[in-house]
Amino acid sequence: RNAAALLRAGARGVAEGAPGLRPPILIHHDAGGDAAACRRFFTRLLAAGAPCDVIGVSFYPWWHGGLDELAGNLSELAAAFDRDVMVVETAYPWTLAALDDVHNLVGLQSQLHPGFPATPAGQAAFLQRLAALVRDAPRGRGVFVWAPDWVSTQHLGSAGENLALFDGNGHLLP
C-alpha cells in the first residue's frame, strides 16, 4: 500500500510539473525469469492502485534462469495485466577474464546461458536472441542493456568490464 501511494504521488508530481504531458509510467521488478514472483508483485501493487503503463523486468541468466523462463513470464505478464512489457536491465559477458583487480560479478563458466559462450560473438548472439524474444512477446516493447559502458580505466576498476559493450581497449564489440 505504501509503495502504491508513493507511486501515485510521483505520478501526480510529474503531471503537475509537466501539464498536458502524460509520459508512460514503467514499474520495474528485478526477477524477470520468475513468473510467480512477478505476478505476486504486480498483482499486489496494481490492486493497491499504483499507476503503471509498462511492466519492466531485469534479466540476467546467472540470477534469473533461462530465456525460456523469461519468455513465459513476459507472455504471462502481458496477458494477466494488459500492459506492455520490457526487459529494462540486462547484460552478458564477452569474456570471463578479469581485465583489472576488481572482482567481476560474472566470471564462471557455470554463470553462462547454455549456447552462448563468453565471447564477443556469444555476447552479441545472446543480446540478439533476447531482443527477438522480447519483440516476439505479446506487447513486447524493448530491451535496455545495463551499464554498456562499464569499462575499466587505469585508476578505476570495474566489476562488470566483461559485461560492457566495449572491449578492454574501448572498442565497440559486435
Side-chain angles (χ1 to χ4, degrees):
R1 246 179 266 159
N2 291 339
L6 288 172
L7 290 166
R8 284 191 304 275
R12 276 192 310 276
V14 169
E16 291 170 9
L21 296 177
R22 171 57 171 82
I25 297 169
L26 181 144
I27 296 179
H28 171 214
H29 191 272
D30 68 346
D34 188 338
C38 286
R39 183 179 286 263
R40 274 191 312 274
F41 176 80
F42 285 104
T43 296
R44 293 180 70 198
L45 202 57
L46 296 173
C52 177
D53 302 305
V54 182
I55 290 175
V57 297
S58 293
F59 182 74
Y60 298 97
W62 50 91
W63 289 323
H64 302 132
L67 289 166
D68 291 340
E69 287 86 5
L70 174 65
N73 188 28
L74 292 176
S75 293
E76 286 183 35
L77 290 169
F81 301 107
D82 193 27
R83 305 278 195 304
D84 292 346
V85 293
M86 299 178 73
V87 172
V88 297
E89 189 179 320
T90 193
Y92 199 79
W94 60 273
T95 182
L96 293 177
L99 305 179
D100 58 29
D101 293 333
V102 176
H103 176 75
N104 286 345
L105 295 170
V106 178
L108 303 173
Q109 190 73 28
S110 62
Q111 293 174 296
L112 300 178
H113 192 290
F116 299 96
T119 63
Q123 181 192 57
F126 176 84
L127 293 173
Q128 289 166 357
R129 177 68 187 107
L130 180 63
L133 180 149
V134 173
R135 187 174 44 252
D136 293 344
R139 301 191 66 167
R141 291 297 175 254
V143 174
F144 290 90
V145 175
W146 177 256
D149 59 348
W150 203 6
V151 296
S152 182
T153 63
Q154 184 177 6
H155 300 292
L156 182 64
S158 170
E161 79 277 1
N162 65 330
L163 302 173
L165 299 183
F166 299 88
D167 68 15
N169 296 312
H171 299 114
L172 183 64
L173 294 165

